Amino acid sequence: MDSDMAEGLGSMTDPELAAVMVMLLEDQQAADLLAQLDPKELRLLGEKMCALGEIGPVAIAQSITGFVERTERLGLTAHDRVGQVRDLMTRAVGEVKADNLMHRIAPEAAQDTSALELARWLNPEVLIPLVRGEHPQAIAVLLVQIDPEVAAAVLHGLPETIQTQVVHRIATLGKVSAEALRMLEEVLTRRIVAIHSRSALTMGGPREAAEIINAAAKAVEKRVMPELTKMDKALAKEIENEMFKFEHLYVLDAQSMGAMLREVDSDTLIAALKGIEEPQREVFFRAMSSRAADGVRDEIAARGRLKRAEVTEAQKAMITAARRLSAEGVIVFGSGDDDYV
């Protein structure tokens, strides 16, 4: 490594090292991590990620080393553990089911997001109508708690006659009582309800419909999907895409898996399996001879890194083959309790 490169690495800031670490993660893992950050942190990290350019092996090693050193010192914090669990539950089963689960798991902590917390994520165009006409003191308390650039845009959007009052109160705010925060919370809640009404619970959707059809007897799918296609072709396509995802192949028995693998060429199989973990690959290997499975393992190890797009395309090809075989009755998804072949 030359001296210029070493010097550049030595000057990397913590946000830059964090950006490298995030870029090393799988897309979903990175998204899950970013979801834990507040708006200011997200913007800073996003800026650093965009500015990274080419990431060399030394920078990667430095980032990982720093991460390991910090985790060894800090351990796994218990701060906002309920919030972390709730986020995971929401991603896994959706907001409505997560709400019900958290009321059972931690009823004392299961509560709706406060209006003040929500305001931190809103754009100026949404915030301005919420605070227009309110007392300058209440506006000042809100603006000091949101991103400065957003606060500046909100201030600019207020009537000129109160802009100076708001700035004066921000500059002389000092300590804010819990009562003042409570009043601001009430103001925001009232305005949100008045302008946007109470948000309806989002229930159902193509994914939920697909899960139910997959769990039903095969005959249900054969009856429902053609009729649904006549009613709404685009919606039927969405449901069909949710019904057949790569992870659904994991539940195929050895016979069905073998039938599917015979329809897939070696390069496609290797690329598709490259994108999943070793335990998941075993589902496919069990449907092969030991010799064939060992050969695929060796090919996967020798293939090197693949672009996510290549993996996705290969997995789609396998899904397409499985869907065709399912339509022909060669393999069965779902319960299949009235449609064995």
Side-chain angles (χ1 to χ4, degrees):
M1 180 176 65
D2 59 43
S3 58
D4 290 341
M5 185 177 182
E7 183 179 352
L9 287 171
S11 63
M12 286 183 74
T13 63
D14 284 345
E16 288 169 336
L17 293 173
V20 173
M21 197 68 196
V22 171
M23 296 297 290
L24 292 174
L25 300 175
E26 294 288 344
D27 291 349
Q28 187 57 53
Q29 292 174 326
D32 291 345
L33 187 151
L34 295 177
Q36 309 299 318
L37 305 181
D38 63 32
K40 184 177 180 180
E41 292 169 333
L42 272 175
R43 186 183 65 179
L44 175 61
L45 189 57
E47 290 172 352
K48 299 302 181 184
M49 290 166 67
C50 290
L52 278 176
E54 191 72 22
I55 305 172
V58 180
I60 292 173
Q62 185 182 7
S63 178
I64 294 174
T65 300
F67 173 76
V68 172
E69 288 175 352
R70 284 174 174 80
T71 54
E72 285 177 344
R73 291 197 303 267
L74 299 176
L76 189 60
T77 177
H79 173 67
D80 194 26
R81 181 59 51 76
V82 172
Q84 294 172 4
V85 173
R86 180 187 177 83
D87 287 343
L88 290 172
M89 293 290 184
T90 300
R91 293 188 190 95
V93 299
E95 185 175 354
V96 174
K97 294 177 183 178
D99 283 340
N100 291 329
L101 280 170
M102 292 309 296
H103 277 291
R104 298 177 184 177
I105 296 170
E108 72 286 351
Q111 55 186 8
D112 295 331
T113 302
S114 71
L116 194 53
E117 176 65 22
L118 176 62
R120 298 178 65 205
W121 294 91
L122 298 179
N123 293 325
E125 294 78 10
V126 179
L127 281 171
I128 291 169
L130 294 180
V131 298
R132 185 177 286 128
E134 293 299 331
H135 194 281
Q137 181 78 1
I139 299 175
V141 173
L142 172 64
L143 295 190
V144 298
Q145 298 184 74
I146 62 178
D147 185 271
E149 291 186 8
V150 176
V154 173
L155 179 66
H156 181 73
L158 295 174
E160 294 180 3
T161 53
I162 70 163
Q163 288 180 4
T164 302
Q165 298 179 53
V166 171
V167 173
H168 178 265
R169 289 174 186 275
I170 290 173
T172 59
L173 203 54
K175 295 182 179 179
V176 178
S177 67
E179 179 65 15
L181 290 174
R182 185 186 64 78
M183 291 177 65
L184 175 59
E185 179 79 27
E186 291 177 355
V187 166
L188 289 173
T189 301
R190 186 173 66 250
R191 283 299 186 92
I192 290 172
V193 171
I195 296 175
H196 300 285
S197 77
R198 293 192 179 276
S199 299
L201 290 175
T202 301
M203 303 182 72
R207 186 180 69 175
E208 286 74 12
E211 289 174 351
I212 292 172
I213 293 174
N214 277 341
K218 188 67 178 177
V220 173
E221 177 191 336
K222 288 186 174 180
R223 283 195 304 270
V224 169
M225 292 307 296
E227 291 298 321
L228 189 59
T229 301
K230 294 177 184 177
M231 293 171 58
D232 190 331
K233 188 174 182 179
L235 178 61
K237 185 67 175 177
E238 286 187 64
I239 294 174
E240 192 175 66
N241 289 338
E242 292 289 345
M243 287 171 60
F244 294 96
K245 291 191 169 183
F246 194 72
E247 54 266 31
H248 292 148
L249 300 181
Y250 303 163
V251 302
L252 291 176
D253 58 42
Q255 183 178 352
S256 295
M257 180 66 78
M260 191 271 298
L261 292 178
R262 286 191 288 273
E263 302 295 315
V264 178
D265 63 70
S266 177
D267 284 344
T268 299
L269 176 63
I270 291 164
L273 298 191
K274 184 76 176 177
I276 61 177
E277 300 296 328
E278 184 63 33
Q280 297 165 337
R281 294 172 187 165
E282 288 300 322
V283 177
F284 299 86
F285 294 150
R286 284 197 292 269
M288 307 176 191
S289 67
S290 298
R291 183 177 178 181
D294 288 341
V296 173
R297 288 189 182 96
D298 292 341
E299 289 285 345
I300 291 173
R303 182 63 64 94
R305 297 183 68 182
L306 290 180
K307 292 182 179 179
R308 170 58 58 183
E310 294 179 69
V311 173
T312 301
E313 193 63 31
Q315 291 180 350
K316 285 181 178 179
M318 292 183 65
I319 294 167
T320 299
R323 287 171 61 175
R324 178 171 52 78
L325 293 175
S326 176
E328 295 171 357
V330 177
I331 65 177
V332 177
F333 288 95
S335 68
D337 58 1
D338 59 357
D339 195 30
Y340 283 107
V341 294

